Amino acid sequence: LAAEQGYAKAQFNLGQMYDYGEGVPEDDKEAVRLYRLAAEQGEAVAQFFLGMMYDEGDGVPEDKKEAFRLLKLAAEQGYPEAQFRLGLFYAKGEGVIQDYVKAYMWWNIVAEETGHNSAKNNIKVLEEHYMDVFQIADAQTRSTLCVKNNYKGC
């Protein structure tokens, strides 16, 4: 098997099979093991799915800080759903100190680049209820710089 030979995409794909019980018995712990192998090789989608396993406590103890760390790795590689979820973590203060400017920044990036409707809606909520014009301008500037720097140091 390619997964046993260390191919990250194969490890991720096999992890998905165990995660969802497709062709094999559902096994969250095995899914986590395979996602971790792929994530450690820098596979963004595996980092995202492993982060979600930590977020939800599936196959591992729930750990918001580890979930945040993994989602940030995927977001910094341009993985849109990780960018959206990172915004949620910042907005809720889960695994990280609450920061509406950073939440807005990540949602603005994913909304601009993919048209993500939930990100657009969340931005509206922040603008209407949680942020002033200076914070909004700061978040917009940060999102532009983040994209310019290929999502590094955001």
Side-chain angles (χ1 to χ4, degrees), residues 11-36 49-50 53 57-60:
Q11 291 166 335
F12 168 73
N13 289 336
L14 189 56
Q16 287 270 276
M17 292 173 71
Y18 279 104
D19 195 359
Y20 296 103
E22 295 175 359
V24 295
E26 187 174 327
D27 184 340
D28 287 343
K29 289 183 188 295
E30 184 63 7
V32 165
R33 185 185 76 79
L34 289 159
Y35 287 158
R36 182 174 285 113
F49 275 90
L50 183 58
M53 299 292 272
D58 292 335
V60 290

Side-chain angles (χ1 to χ4, degrees), residues 17-102:
M17 292 173 71
Y18 279 104
D19 195 359
Y20 296 103
E22 295 175 359
V24 295
E26 187 174 327
D27 184 340
D28 287 343
K29 289 183 188 295
E30 184 63 7
V32 165
R33 185 185 76 79
L34 289 159
Y35 287 158
R36 182 174 285 113
L37 290 172
E40 287 171 353
Q41 294 182 67
E43 188 71 24
V45 67
Q47 292 166 340
F48 170 76
F49 275 90
L50 183 58
M52 294 307 299
M53 299 292 272
Y54 275 101
D55 182 36
E56 297 165 6
D58 292 335
V60 290
E62 183 179 302
D63 184 339
K64 299 295 186 184
K65 287 183 180 181
E66 181 63 4
F68 175 84
R69 184 187 76 78
L70 289 159
L71 292 173
K72 191 162 194 312
L73 289 172
E76 289 175 342
Q77 292 186 68
Y79 192 73
E81 195 57 31
Q83 293 170 338
F84 175 76
R85 294 285 179 163
L86 211 56
L88 290 175
F89 273 67
Y90 276 115
K92 295 178 181 179
E94 291 184 346
V96 66
I97 295 171
Q98 187 175 51
D99 188 331
Y100 292 133
V101 171
K102 286 186 179 178

